[in-house]
Amino acid sequence: MKTRILRGTALAAAVVLTAGTAGPVFAESGGVRTTVPDGTASTTDSGGKGRHPGKPGKPVKPVKDESAKLRAAVTLHNVFDHLEGLQDAADANGGNRASGTPGYEASGQYIEDQLRRAGYKPVRQDFSYDQFVVASESLEQTAPTPTVYTAGTDFTTMTYSGSGDVTAAVAPVDLILSGDRTVNTSGCEAEDFAGFAAGDIALIQRGTCSFEIKALNAAAAGASGVIIFNMGDAPGADRSGLLNGTLSDGVGEDEVSTIPVVGATTALGEALAGSEGLELRLNIDAGVQTTNSFNILADTARGNADRTVVVGAHLDSVPVGSGINDNGSGSAAVLETAIQLAETTKRHPLQNRVRFAFWGGEEDGLQGSNHYVSQLDQVGLDGTLANLNFDMLGSPNLVRFVYDGDGSAFPDSTAPRPVGSDEIERIFEEYFAGQELPSAPTEFSGRSDYSAFILNDIPAGGLFSGAEDIKTEEEAALFGGTAGEAYDPCYHQKCDDLGNINRRGLDQMSDAVAHAVLTFARTDADLRGGGDVRSKRLAPAGVDLQFRGDEALK
């Protein structure tokens, strides 16, 4: 039986957040009201009546050098304690914290417990979506030399692959195994399959067109299965490791593969391409299931709700591992900032409300953050001052990347850059400069949870320490580490565990999180009208280069 593949769109009914709307979630003056397990409702403080984000209430007197106080409290020791808690959640539940799994539930309970201890009243925002799930996957050589390949190391099932158990000969398709491999068009045109024997498994190389096009062309030529291997040497990117990919661009289920398709390493692809008389067995059991997940939201007790700063990090991992850098690191830094912010601001209430958000389903297509923004009515959208996003902060070979909010580094980017995003970028850049630490811009690519915010004209920004791309010589000279290697060699792999964290880097990035959160919680500037946040409520952070870690550097 062929598996019917569906898109990963939210199944939950679109309950718009507007006062007076029946349903489990709605807003009052921009607040979010969510049902809790006992059937009652918990509503956040709305903090005002219909104020525009550019028109703050009465200013709150700032505390001298409050940023330094908060940063001193957000220690690496405490942040790493949270990483250990998330690692424990994964270890006790099948080795991962993927959305909809027991590991994700355990992670959520850990976050909620820590927030409650700090005095917050966290609520869950439930949602459902279609999730692609791999029940089993195997790849083995049956001839000429029986060999079993390892899932998650040598190969992995591509998202929205079809199911099937096929044993067949392997036919290479227009490969380039030397010279400039970046120009290869393997599998991109129907002509590439001239002479292809129906029923064979197509061996295709990563190149200039999408994985979806390659798989569709192979299926049209009669292939019984597809192996797409990484292209190999390519400047500025990791193009040799395990190839994780998706076969859908969101244009309808008839564009998704009906045959099994896997990604593979360059080493495996080259080995297969050089084997005469090769026969493989490819067996994939995969499909789509409805997954129930949740976001965790927790608001500061005080602060104008019509000027809400949403501080977010995704809590879920990929199914293959525990996801301690991606994105335990961001979640841990946000959690510890929330805990210490509640303590350090007890006597000096915040100017703006801060909503700490731990998103579910990010690895399945930004499901949780998209759902959250979709549930905001116009008052809620207008009352969101900014989104700060923290996704991967401890990459072993890190760069201190700041999202390019003013577009100066990536002028050709097509992503929206709402007014105020430039100011968010500047706050991070000036903070790092004040610490005598270099930083570098990274593109608004839409690959993380800020996406739904900028698509709704809400200023956004944040930090990122790098994923699968390769560190350049120039970056190594500025940031240390190793040129020619990925920022995170364990990105989306099983080895993304506690040993995959750059502790000094995580300490520095966590301090930047704390400083930015407090800066935007204190400002009375009209951010969305282009106002200057600097020195409005908070003195600039002074140089503090002391490394407070109590363990050896990674």
Side-chain angles (χ1 to χ4, degrees):
M1 175 185 294
K2 292 182 179 179
T3 303
R4 183 169 182 264
I5 304 298
L6 306 176
R7 290 295 306 130
T9 53
L11 286 178
V15 183
V16 177
L17 293 191
T18 178
T21 299
V25 183
F26 62 93
E28 297 180 89
S29 299
V32 170
R33 179 171 175 169
T34 305
T35 55
V36 293
D38 63 2
T40 62
S42 171
T43 308
T44 58
D45 177 17
S46 63
K49 298 296 181 181
R51 296 184 188 274
H52 185 273
K55 299 178 180 179
K58 184 178 179 181
V60 176
K61 184 179 180 180
V63 178
K64 184 178 181 181
D65 211 10
E66 193 176 8
S67 170
K69 181 180 179 181
L70 179 60
R71 286 181 284 125
V74 177
T75 65
L76 175 66
H77 177 82
N78 290 346
V79 173
F80 210 82
D81 276 351
H82 300 318
L83 292 182
E84 290 176 341
L86 297 177
Q87 183 71 66
D88 289 344
D91 291 345
N93 293 281
N96 74 83
R97 303 182 300 101
S99 198
T101 67
Y104 185 74
E105 173 63 32
S107 299
Q109 291 181 11
Y110 176 83
I111 297 291
E112 290 166 333
D113 179 63
Q114 295 293 316
L115 289 169
R116 290 190 185 102
R117 291 184 183 189
Y120 291 92
K121 298 177 180 178
V123 295
R124 291 191 178 191
Q125 183 184 42
D126 297 319
F127 59 92
S128 299
Y129 62 98
D130 284 343
Q131 182 185 43
F132 179 77
V133 176
V134 178
S136 64
E137 54 186 345
S138 64
L139 177 66
E140 58 183 300
Q141 183 179 155
T142 55
T145 305
T147 308
V148 176
Y149 302 106
T150 303
T153 301
D154 301 313
F155 76 97
T156 188
T157 302
M158 286 202 166
T159 304
Y160 299 111
S161 163
S163 290
D165 184 356
V166 298
T167 300
V170 177
V173 178
D174 195 22
L175 308 180
I176 297 179
L177 301 179
S178 63
D180 185 2
R181 304 185 184 197
T182 62
V183 299
N184 90 78
T185 60
S186 171
C188 294
E189 292 94 21
E191 292 76 12
D192 293 341
F193 295 88
F196 185 89
D200 281 0
I201 295 172
L203 180 64
I204 301 176
Q205 189 175 12
R206 182 179 190 170
T208 58
C209 66
S210 70
F211 305 137
E212 178 186 24
I213 290 174
K214 294 173 186 288
L216 289 171
N217 284 338
S224 59
V226 179
I227 300 170
I228 305 175
F229 66 93
N230 227 337
M231 70 170 60
D233 294 337
D238 178 8
R239 295 294 184 259
S240 60
L242 181 60
L243 180 58
N244 288 284
T246 183
L247 301 176
S248 176
D249 63 0
V251 184
E253 57 190 82
D254 60 345
E255 295 206 13
V256 179
S257 176
T258 56
I259 58 177
V261 181
V262 299
T265 64
T266 299
L268 178 57
E270 291 178 342
L272 297 179
S275 297
E276 294 187 8
L278 179 65
E279 182 182 84
L280 295 178
R281 181 186 180 191
L282 175 60
N283 187 2
I284 304 298
D285 182 7
V288 169
Q289 68 179 27
T290 299
T291 294
N292 299 316
S293 190
F294 57 86
N295 299 320
I296 297 173
L297 308 174
D299 294 344
T300 51
R302 302 282 295 275
N304 186 352
D306 294 326
R307 290 171 57 84
T308 295
V309 181
V310 178
V311 179
H314 77 85
L315 184 57
D316 60 317
S317 73
V318 293
V320 73
S322 51
I324 295 304
N325 187 37
D326 184 17
N327 181 37
S329 60
S331 296
V334 168
L335 175 60
E336 187 59 21
T337 297
I339 291 170
Q340 299 304 331
L341 185 70
E343 182 64 30
T344 59
T345 59
K346 280 182 177 179
R347 297 179 57 190
H348 301 275
L350 300 173
Q351 171 79 353
N352 308 315
R353 179 174 69 181
V354 179
R355 171 165 292 161
F356 294 99
F358 300 85
W359 309 120
E362 190 270 356
E363 299 290 3
D364 295 318
L366 313 179
Q367 298 290 341
S369 53
N370 285 342
H371 178 76
Y372 171 82
V373 175
S374 76
Q375 301 304 288
L376 295 174
D377 65 0
Q378 194 60 49
V379 173
L381 292 170
D382 291 343
T384 303
L385 182 67
N387 169 236
L388 305 181
N389 186 70
F390 304 105
D391 189 354
M392 301 179 66
L393 301 183
S395 299
N397 199 25
L398 95 169
V399 167
R400 287 177 289 274
F401 284 120
V402 178
Y403 287 115
D404 181 32
D406 63 6
S408 60
F410 299 92
D412 295 331
S413 174
T414 59
R417 291 188 294 270
V419 172
S421 300
D422 55 342
E423 189 70 7
I424 297 173
E425 179 188 17
R426 181 164 60 176
I427 290 300
F428 283 113
E429 289 178 338
E430 292 186 352
Y431 169 76
F432 284 126
Q435 299 299 302
E436 299 180 0
L437 295 170
S439 64
T442 189
E443 184 181 3
F444 264 147
S445 63
R447 286 185 60 180
S448 194
D449 289 300
Y450 61 82
S451 176
F453 292 89
I454 63 175
L455 289 173
N456 283 276
D457 203 33
I458 295 170
L463 302 176
F464 172 56
S465 59
E468 76 272 33
D469 287 339
I470 298 299
K471 177 171 278 188
T472 66
E473 294 283 355
E474 294 78 8
E475 289 169 343
L478 271 177
F479 299 95
T482 306
E485 294 186 3
Y487 304 119
D488 181 359
C490 289
Y491 175 67
H492 282 189
Q493 296 181 52
K494 186 176 182 178
C495 56
D496 186 9
D497 55 21
L498 288 173
N500 191 46
I501 294 293
N502 182 323
R503 296 170 191 259
R504 183 187 293 273
L506 179 59
D507 188 35
Q508 295 165 347
M509 298 287 259
S510 297
D511 281 354
V513 171
H515 176 74
V517 169
L518 189 59
T519 298
F520 287 97
R522 285 282 186 226
T523 185
D524 60 3
D526 181 6
L527 178 67
R528 296 181 64 170
D532 186 346
V533 170
R534 293 176 300 175
S535 73
K536 290 287 185 178
R537 309 299 316 153
L538 201 66
V543 177
D544 176 12
L545 296 179
Q546 182 182 1
F547 174 58
R548 297 190 300 276
D550 58 354
E551 300 178 69
L553 300 181
K554 175 71 174 82

